């Protein structure tokens, strides 16, 4: 999926076997009882890793143990009754067109103390109404992460909101890191083909990762779409949107730092992981 050149599974397997023959990588067999919904993989770089003090397992056993631990932690977060109720409530409102899991949880690789990153797309001209609904329900259910707190296990992190009229990621954000986030995102609410429209608006990701389109076609084929409920509360009206916009912007501007705020997109990222990765590379 994230290979930067176009290839096929057959060609990739041939190259992997060649690297095994040259002893650059090693081929491993993972016992079935250690494989969950996602596999660990059959190949590993031939290198040692630093194990925790007192860890007696070898490299492969440690990797499997760590994978198992993260997968179970991820499943526990998704099955949490508060989170399930929260998503169900959001699905009732026509202002919310899409909710997607992002970050480590989307890859079922979350740690126990990780929060839950969500990407939300709202109906046209309902960006701030949609954000208000997402915030107020998170507060009421006890899922809202407190301001300034960076470690909030099982709390929702509402860092990214798009209006459905502007689904393309800005040019300056069209990087490999953001493309990876787009492709690994896991839809949990999708109405009116919003997920497909989002991918169509961001075709640039397939130029960076040309094999990803094949994988996503299968993902979309198996996607169960959410009903677009006709709720009485559907017609909030433009005046409510404008009122909520002014109110929220006044609060945002009091503590504004590196946030990206437009009429159709809101980017809140207290920790810029892309900058962290660049500094390490």
């Amino acid at each position: 999926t994230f290979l930067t050149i176009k290839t096929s599974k057959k060609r990739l397997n041939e190259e992997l076997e060649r690297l095994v023959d040259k002893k650059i990588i090693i081929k491993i067999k993972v016992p079935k009882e250690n494989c969950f919904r996602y596999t660990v993989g059959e190949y590993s770089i031939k290198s040692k890793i630093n194990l925790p003090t007192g860890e007696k397992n070898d490299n492969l056993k440690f990797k499997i143990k760590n994978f198992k631990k993260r997968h179970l932690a991820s499943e526990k977060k998704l099955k949490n009754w508060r989170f399930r109720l929260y998503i169900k409530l959001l699905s009732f409102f026509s202002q919310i067109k899409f909710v997607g899991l992002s970050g480590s949880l989307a890859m079922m690789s979350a740690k126990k103390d990780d929060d839950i990153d969500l990407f939300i797309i709202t109906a046209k001209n309902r960006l701030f109404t949609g954000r208000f609904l997402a915030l107020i329900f998170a507060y009421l259910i006890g899922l809202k992460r407190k301001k300034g707190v960076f470690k909030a296990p099982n709390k929702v992190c509402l860092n990214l909101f798009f209006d459905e009229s502007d689904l393309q990621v800005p040019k300056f954000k069209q990087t490999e890191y953001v493309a990876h986030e787009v492709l690994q995102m896991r839809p949990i609410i999708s109405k009116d083909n919003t997920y497909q429209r989002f991918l169509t608006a961001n075709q640039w990701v397939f130029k960076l990762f040309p094999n990803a389109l094949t994988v996503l076609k299968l993902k979309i084929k198996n996607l169960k779409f959410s009903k677009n409920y006709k709720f009485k509360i559907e017609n909030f009206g433009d005046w409510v949107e404008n009122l909520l916009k002014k109110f929220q912007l006044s609060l945002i501007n009091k503590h504004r730092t590196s946030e990206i705020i437009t009429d159709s997109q809101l980017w809140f990222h207290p920790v810029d992981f892309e900058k962290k990765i660049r500094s390490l590379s």
Side-chain angles (χ1 to χ4, degrees), residues 168 196 198-208 213:
Q168 188 180 67
Q196 291 93 319
F198 174 72
L199 292 175
T200 300
N202 290 284
Q203 291 289 311
W204 59 272
V205 301
F206 303 117
K207 293 180 181 178
L208 294 174
L213 187 59

Side-chain angles (χ1 to χ4, degrees), residues 93-98 121-128 130 162-165 241:
F93 292 88
S94 60
Q95 292 81 5
I96 305 291
K97 286 298 185 78
F98 175 87
I121 297 175
T122 71
K124 184 179 180 180
N125 298 324
R126 294 295 178 265
L127 183 67
F128 289 91
F162 278 23
D163 181 308
E164 67 173 336
S165 65
E241 170 70 14

Side-chain angles (χ1 to χ4, degrees), residues 13 22 52 59 67 70 89 97 107 120 124 133 153 157 173 209 214 217 231 264 270:
N13 286 330
K22 286 192 170 187
N59 191 357
F67 173 82
R70 287 184 175 229
L89 287 171
K97 286 298 185 78
M107 301 290 282
I120 295 177
K124 184 179 180 180
L133 290 169
C157 188
K173 280 283 188 180
F209 301 114
T214 304
K217 282 181 178 178
F231 230 55
S264 54

